[in-house]
Amino acid sequence: MKIALYAFDGITMFHLAAPLMVFGEVARLGLASDWETRLWSDNAASVSTAENYTLGELADPSTVDWADIVIVPSWPLSLPPIGDDLRTQLCDAHQRGAQIAGLCLGSFAIADTGLLAGRSAVTHWDRMTELRERTAQMSIDESVLYIDHGDVMTSAGTASSIDACLHIVRKHLGSAAATRVARSLVVAPHRDGGQAQYIDRPLPRAPEDRAIADVLDWALGRLHEPLTVDRLAEHAHMSRRNFIRQFQLATGATPARWVLDQRLDEARGLLETTTWSMEDISAACGFGSVVTLRQNFVTAFAVAPSAYRKQFADRSTA
C-alpha cells in the first residue's frame, strides 16, 4: 500500500505524526511488507510546522501519481479554498482509482474538490458549521468519528485521525492487524460513538458514569442474548428515558447502535480467527439468523461475511 501524505506550511506535527505512526507500525510489526508512506508538498522542498520546526527533503507532487491513498491530514486554520493545482492532483488521483482522505480540517480541502457532492462528511466539531456552509451539495454527520465512502474518506477532529488510519488498516489488512497496531500504540482499536462525546457540555455525574460503564461490560459478555433498551436500562437501574440520555452522553451513540456495533465487531473477529459456521457466528453474536448477520454486515462493511472471511481469515485456523 503506497500512501502519500500532504504537508503544508503551518501544519501541526501531530497531524503528520498520527498517520505516519499508524501506517509505520504496520511495517514495524511485520503485518505487511509493501506499506510505504511518503510526505509531499507543493514545492518538494520544505515546510515549517506550527511548532516552528522545518521539515525538509519532502517529495514533490508527482508522488500523488505513485500513491494508492492520498491523505490531506489537516488544513490551515484560516480555511482557505483549495488551490487549483492541489484540486487537480486530488481529482486526477481519484479518477485513476486512488482513495482520497481528508483528516480533521483536511475535510475542507476534500470538500473543495467536489468529490463529496451528494455525500456526507465530517470534520472537527468546532468547524462543523463552516464546513456545512462550504457547499450545499454535501451533508454533515456529527454522529461519527470518520466516514468512509470507499473512494473518499473524512474524519473528525485531531485524535480521530488515529481512528481513521486504524480503519484504513482494518479495511485492507483486517481487524486482527488493526488491533495489533492499536495495542502496540496503546490506543483503542475502535472507539464507539462520535464527536458528541467531545463537544462542550455538562458531563454525566460519576454515579451515572459508573452505571453506564457497568452496563457496557455486562452487555459485552451477553452479545448472544437479547439486549433491548429496556433490558439494558433495567440493569442500570434507570428509567428507559434517563438511560438513553445518559448512554448517549457517555458514549455518543444510542444503545441500539452501540450493541449493533459490538455484535458486528465480534462477528468480524470470529470470521477472521475461527472456522465456525455462519449459523454459529450469527448465534454467538446475537443476530438470530444468517440472513440478519449478512444484511447488517453488508450494510456496515460493504462486503458479505463469507467474502470477508476469504480475505482476512487467519490461515492457521483454516
Side-chain angles (χ1 to χ4, degrees):
M1 184 67 60
K2 299 185 288 290
I3 304 165
L5 191 63
Y6 179 65
F8 55 86
D9 282 326
I11 193 169
T12 66
M13 295 186 69
F14 178 88
H15 286 112
L16 290 175
L20 287 171
M21 178 177 61
V22 173
F23 301 139
E25 204 67 13
V26 170
R28 286 187 286 272
L29 292 174
L31 299 172
S33 60
D34 58 347
W35 280 53
E36 181 182 354
T37 306
R38 296 180 184 175
L39 293 180
W40 67 282
S41 68
D42 294 322
N43 56 21
S46 64
V47 297
S48 298
T49 71
E51 298 82 5
N52 293 319
Y53 291 101
T54 298
L55 302 177
E57 299 183 4
L58 304 183
D60 63 37
S62 66
T63 301
V64 176
D65 299 329
W66 160 87
D68 302 306
I69 302 175
V70 183
I71 298 176
V72 180
S74 187
W75 200 241
L77 293 176
S78 60
L79 305 178
I82 193 173
D84 290 340
D85 288 344
L86 181 57
R87 178 190 291 108
T88 298
Q89 289 153 7
L90 295 178
C91 290
D92 286 351
H94 177 265
Q95 181 67 29
R96 66 171 173 79
Q99 182 180 17
I100 309 300
L103 309 181
C104 194
L105 297 184
S107 301
F108 283 83
I110 309 306
D112 286 349
T113 65
L115 296 176
L116 288 167
R119 299 180 173 186
S120 57
V122 65
T123 191
H124 191 287
W125 63 266
D126 195 37
R127 312 304 288 269
M128 288 281 198
T129 299
E130 289 156 291
L131 183 60
R132 184 176 287 109
E133 294 171 349
R134 197 83 163 200
T135 171
Q137 298 175 317
M138 179 181 65
S139 63
I140 306 301
D141 189 343
E142 301 182 8
S143 67
V144 293
L145 295 177
Y146 54 83
I147 300 173
D148 184 4
H149 294 289
D151 57 331
V152 182
M153 180 178 182
T154 55
S155 81
T158 316
S160 300
S161 60
I162 297 177
D163 298 283
C165 292
L166 284 171
H167 167 75
I168 290 173
V169 175
R170 187 181 302 112
K171 178 178 177 179
H172 293 281
L173 298 178
S175 62
T179 299
R180 282 195 63 191
V181 171
R183 190 171 292 141
S184 178
L185 299 176
V186 198
V187 296
H190 177 76
R191 289 193 295 162
D192 300 301
Q195 293 186 98
Q197 305 168 77
Y198 308 108
I199 298 173
D200 288 337
R201 65 179 68 188
L203 294 175
R205 296 177 180 176
E208 293 166 328
D209 278 345
R210 288 197 297 271
I212 297 300
D214 178 63
V215 167
L216 300 184
D217 289 340
W218 178 82
L220 284 173
R222 294 168 173 80
L223 293 177
H224 59 289
E225 301 177 5
L227 292 173
T228 63
V229 174
D230 288 335
R231 188 182 181 197
L232 295 173
E234 181 182 2
H235 184 79
H237 304 292
M238 295 182 187
S239 68
R240 176 189 174 92
R241 181 177 179 182
N242 186 44
F243 173 74
I244 293 173
R245 182 172 66 87
Q246 295 302 330
F247 193 97
Q248 290 184 290
L249 283 172
T251 69
T254 65
R257 179 74 251 180
W258 182 87
V259 169
L260 177 59
D261 286 344
Q262 307 316 305
R263 285 176 167 157
L264 287 168
D265 279 347
E266 180 70 8
R268 189 160 50 178
L270 291 173
L271 288 166
E272 292 182 18
T273 60
T274 75
T275 57
W276 292 10
S277 68
M278 292 298 170
E279 289 78 7
D280 288 342
I281 290 176
S282 62
C285 298
F287 285 109
S289 72
V290 174
V291 171
T292 304
L293 166 64
R294 188 182 189 283
Q295 289 173 340
N296 284 278
F297 203 93
V298 170
T299 298
F301 307 123
V303 63
S306 57
Y308 183 90
R309 168 173 270 172
K310 288 179 181 178
Q311 184 173 1
F312 295 120
D314 181 350
R315 298 308 170 196
S316 66
T317 65

